[in-house]
């Protein structure tokens, strides 16, 4: 049956009143989905805020690793995804590729006892579990520096997966040496050894874009997400997670121009006459955009009918070790 947007919103609100559900949405979701959410935020905030809620069902509007993190932290909750969307970066590494990276380090003369793995939250539960088993932990874009600073106190080398940009950006900020597995340098010489994963959306921003805006609007500020290439972050005025970017931009004086390097939906919601998208190509995350209002309605209907769609299931062992890796982060 076909519904208008207004009818869908009405039906979603009716289900929200009737069922024990909480609707959660990441900042990159489409406007109409973002607007009907009860909880919004960056990856870390969503994991923490959703854990504190008591509803039986979590309707997670975002990508798979985010919904999985909620399930891992709160195994008793039933987490359903309106769309089984998967972050392209998280897909770049699985448990087998993680093991192969460890092997490559061993062959380069770095034994397991000298490696502390850290995984960006943008990874699937099997990778988080591998990291947990090796004594490592998870980080997000909002706490990566703090987590890496603490981890380095163990005197080991950090294997950082999957985002090479975030790993390199933190290394640059802290004056540490980094390398990327397979880049031809010796991992034994680096403090932070990065897996060669990346976000294709954040790769769209270039130094030319920054130069263009700086020339066109002298005095403009450039604010970007740390998934951007190190050359972009180095040339910017502010680097932060999605929520940190929102705070930075909304705290600026009204007449301050700012060009923002992150996903389109979020930047567009912040758009005023002084806020610009730092790219001539629309930086949309295809998988974040997959979830529609209709999908939210369908998943709520499926809960009401007793056969929830796209429910996240994680096997016991993966659940146990991924939880340890996530809780080590939350403890900090
Ligand atoms: P945040 O943790 O900053 O919300 O980022 C998640 C993400 O996927 C960015 O591309
Ligand atoms: Fe993944 Fe990039 Fe999309 Fe973020 S923007 S969810 S890192 S593909």
């Amino acid at each position: 049956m076909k519904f208008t947007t207004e009818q869908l919103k009405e039906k979603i609100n009716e289900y929200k009143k009737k069922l024990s559900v909480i609707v959660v949405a990441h900042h990159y979701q489409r406007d109409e989905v973002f607007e009907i959410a009860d909880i919004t935020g960056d990856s870390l905030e969503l994991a923490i805020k959703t854990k504190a809620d008591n509803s039986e069902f979590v309707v997670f509007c975002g990508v798979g690793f985010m919904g999985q993190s909620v399930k891992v932290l709160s195994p008793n909750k039933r987490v359903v995804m309106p769309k089984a969307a998967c972050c392209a970066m998280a897909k770049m590494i699985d448990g087998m590729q993680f093991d192969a990276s460890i092997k490559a380090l061993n062959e380069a003369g770095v034994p397991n006892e000298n490696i502390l793995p850290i995984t960006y939250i943008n990874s699937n539960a099997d990778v988080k579990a591998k990291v947990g088993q090796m004594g490592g932990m998870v980080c997000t874009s909002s706490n990566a520096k703090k987590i890496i600073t603490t981890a380095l106190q163990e005197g080991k080398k950090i294997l950082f997966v999957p985002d090479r940009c975030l790993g390199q950006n933190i290394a640059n900020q802290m004056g540490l040496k980094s390398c990327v597995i397979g880049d031809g340098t010796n991992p034994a010489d680096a403090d932070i050894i990065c897996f060669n994963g990346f976000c294709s959306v954040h790769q769209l921003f270039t130094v030319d874009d920054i130069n263009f805006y700086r020339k066109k609007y002298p005095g403009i500020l450039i604010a970007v997400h740390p998934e951007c290439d190190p050359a972009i972050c180095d040339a910017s005025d502010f680097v932060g997670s999605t929520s940190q970017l929102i705070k930075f931009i909304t705290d600026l004086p009204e007449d301050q121009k700012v060009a923002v390097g992150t996903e389109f939906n979020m930047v567009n919601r912040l758009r005023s006459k002084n806020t610009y998208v730092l790219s001539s190509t629309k930086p949309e995350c295809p998988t974040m955009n997959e979830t529609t209002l209709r999908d939210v309605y369908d998943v709520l209907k499926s809960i009401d009918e007793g056969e929830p769609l796209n429910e996240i299931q994680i096997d016991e062992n993966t659940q146990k070790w991924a939880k340890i890796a996530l809780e080590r982060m939350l403890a900090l």
Side-chain angles (χ1 to χ4, degrees), residues 25-36 61 83 263 265-266 269 284 286-293 295:
H26 185 263
H27 291 305
Y28 291 168
Q29 289 292 295
R30 292 161 178 261
D31 291 354
E32 63 274 23
V33 173
F34 192 79
E35 279 158 19
I36 51 95
C61 307
K83 243 315 152 30
E263 211 272 342
N265 287 333
M266 185 185 112
R269 276 195 291 273
E284 276 184 315
T287 47
M288 280 283 185
N289 267 279
E290 278 180 32
T291 306
T292 63
L293 215 47
D295 296 323

Side-chain angles (χ1 to χ4, degrees), residues 7-258:
Q7 285 171 325
L8 280 172
K9 282 185 186 166
E10 221 171 277
K11 288 182 178 299
I12 288 169
N13 281 327
E14 280 166 21
Y15 277 132
K16 278 170 54 174
K17 282 191 199 123
K18 181 176 177 198
L19 305 167
S20 174
V21 294
I22 186 101
V23 179
V24 179
H26 185 263
H27 291 305
Y28 291 168
Q29 289 292 295
R30 292 161 178 261
D31 291 354
E32 63 274 23
V33 173
F34 192 79
E35 279 158 19
I36 51 95
D38 305 299
I39 296 179
T40 57
D42 67 16
S43 307
L44 180 61
E45 290 166 340
L46 292 181
I48 295 173
K49 290 186 198 166
T50 309
K51 191 170 184 254
D53 177 76
N54 290 325
S55 311
E56 184 188 359
F57 283 92
V58 178
V59 172
F60 201 102
C61 307
V63 285
F65 77 82
M66 295 179 176
Q68 275 188 345
S69 295
V70 171
K71 181 72 187 172
V72 164
L73 286 170
S74 315
N76 295 333
K77 289 191 199 299
R78 300 187 65 183
V79 184
V80 293
M81 308 276 302
K83 243 315 152 30
C86 187
C87 161
M89 182 207 287
K91 255 187 149 171
M92 288 180 182
I93 187 166
D94 59 17
M96 266 159 52
Q97 284 157 312
F98 178 85
D99 290 343
S101 303
I102 296 287
K103 195 163 167 246
L105 295 198
N106 295 160
E107 284 167 4
V110 188
N112 277 16
E113 53 274 23
N114 280 359
I115 305 171
L116 187 66
I118 297 194
T119 181
Y120 186 25
I121 197 164
N122 293 38
S123 56
N124 287 322
D126 59 338
V127 172
K128 291 191 178 80
K130 293 260 178 195
V131 167
Q133 270 174 312
M134 278 188 75
M137 59 189 135
V138 176
C139 76
T140 73
S141 53
S142 58
N143 63 18
K145 190 171 171 199
K146 185 172 180 186
I147 298 287
I148 289 182
T149 306
T150 309
L152 283 167
Q153 286 163 5
E154 289 198 25
K156 297 180 179 180
K157 290 191 182 297
I158 306 280
L159 169 63
F160 192 85
V161 303
D163 187 11
R164 69 166 144 76
C165 294
L166 182 59
Q168 288 174 310
N169 283 323
I170 301 295
N172 291 350
Q173 267 183 40
M174 297 175 67
L176 298 169
K177 272 188 89 175
S178 65
C179 75
V180 178
I181 297 173
D183 69 0
T185 60
N186 186 355
D189 294 335
D191 306 299
I192 302 183
I193 303 153
C194 306
F195 184 81
N196 195 9
F198 57 89
C199 165
S200 47
V201 181
H202 287 87
Q203 295 303 302
L204 287 175
F205 307 106
T206 65
V207 175
D208 281 349
D209 293 327
I210 295 179
N211 293 339
F212 168 83
Y213 274 109
R214 290 217 194 272
K215 197 166 166 211
K216 185 160 180 187
Y217 302 116
I220 193 169
L221 295 175
I222 309 293
V224 302
H225 194 278
E227 288 173 11
C228 292
D229 196 81
I232 312 302
C233 294
D234 289 349
S236 298
D237 301 295
F238 181 82
V239 182
S241 75
T242 51
S243 287
Q244 289 166 345
L245 283 168
I246 292 172
K247 179 160 184 356
F248 176 77
I249 295 157
T250 48
D251 284 353
L252 288 174
E254 224 173 273
D255 57 351
Q256 174 63 57
K257 293 191 188 306
V258 60

